[in-house]
């Protein structure tokens, strides 16, 4: 995709595995371009540098390509593999949260509908926050008997798992 913008131009090349390189010139630059790894912005950490090089675009295309292969691609491959791993870890985390939510819905007979689900059971209501390995329940308007039963259940299951 070539995106000309005034005296600048921008080109993106994407491989089948998702590795994306961006080629761009800066204002009024006609002989030099910057080649850098692009894509997956949400998985690049703050202040993390993407692999990049400058190339002279007046050279033969085969020479520029060889320069990119020699000076950029090894770092680009490593960076891309790191980003792919981060995406897989983020997906696994989100999948685990979804599995936990589904298990809670089935066990509790309630629907947890959004990012900050609220439950209503009789006069009792509360917020449910689900993470990968735990759940936070914030319950309101319990009777003393209900609160006692919940505490007894937690104590009995804590003794079993200890």
């Amino acid at each position: 995709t070539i995106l000309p913008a005034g005296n600048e131009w921008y080109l993106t090349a994407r491989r089948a595995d998702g590795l994306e390189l961006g080629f761009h010139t800066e204002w009024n630059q006609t002989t030099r371009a910057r080649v850098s790894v692009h894509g997956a912005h949400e998985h690049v950490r703050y202040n993390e540098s993407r692999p990049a090089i400058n190339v002279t675009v007046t050279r033969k295309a085969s020479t520029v390509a060889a320069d990119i292969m020699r000076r950029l691609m090894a770092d680009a491959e490593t960076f891309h593999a790191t980003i792919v791993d981060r995406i897989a870890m983020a997906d696994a985390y989100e999948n685990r949260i979804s599995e936990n939510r589904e298990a809670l819905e089935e066990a509790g007979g309630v629907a947890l509908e959004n990012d900050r689900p609220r439950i209503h059971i009789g006069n009792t209501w509360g917020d449910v926050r689900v993470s990968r390995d735990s759940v936070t329940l914030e319950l309101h308007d319990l009777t003393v008997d209900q609160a006692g039963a919940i505490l007894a259940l937690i104590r009995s299951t804590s003794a079993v798992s200890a």
Side-chain angles (χ1 to χ4, degrees):
T1 306
I2 299 175
L3 303 171
N7 290 338
E8 302 174 40
W9 59 268
Y10 191 85
L11 166 72
T12 300
R14 175 184 277 246
R15 284 193 330 201
D17 69 354
L19 175 61
E20 186 174 303
L21 297 180
F23 301 79
H24 66 276
T25 60
E26 296 183 11
W27 180 256
N28 284 333
Q29 270 293 340
T30 57
T31 61
R32 289 174 43 115
R34 184 94 171 141
V35 182
S36 57
V37 176
H38 281 245
H41 302 291
E42 67 276 10
H43 297 285
V44 178
R45 296 190 174 137
Y46 178 74
N47 279 344
E48 183 173 34
S49 297
R50 297 169 182 264
I53 62 170
N54 291 321
V55 295
T56 304
V57 296
T58 55
R59 295 166 66 202
K60 291 186 343 184
S62 60
T63 304
V64 172
D67 204 24
I68 291 169
M69 291 300 293
R70 181 177 54 82
R71 294 175 44 220
L72 178 64
M73 289 311 292
D75 290 341
E77 296 278 356
T78 300
F79 186 80
H80 179 66
T82 298
I83 297 301
V84 167
D85 287 346
R86 287 181 192 161
I87 291 169
M89 287 177 12
D91 289 348
Y93 179 82
E94 291 301 321
N95 289 339
R96 181 63 182 179
I97 288 174
S98 293
E99 291 167 1
N100 288 347
R101 286 174 61 108
E102 290 171 8
L104 282 174
E105 288 176 334
E106 186 176 320
V110 295
L112 305 176
E113 297 173 4
N114 54 35
D115 291 340
R116 182 94 183 211
R118 180 157 284 174
I119 57 171
H120 295 272
I121 303 172
N123 290 333
T124 301
W125 64 276
D127 293 320
V128 180
R129 287 181 297 282
V130 181
S131 71
R132 181 177 49 88
D133 57 359
S134 65
V135 176
T136 300
L137 295 174
E138 187 176 307
L139 300 174
H140 303 272
D141 297 333
L142 296 165
T143 66
V144 172
D145 289 341
Q146 289 172 321
I150 291 169
L151 292 173
L153 175 64
I154 293 169
R155 188 178 337 114
S156 70
T157 57
S158 293
V160 170
S161 62

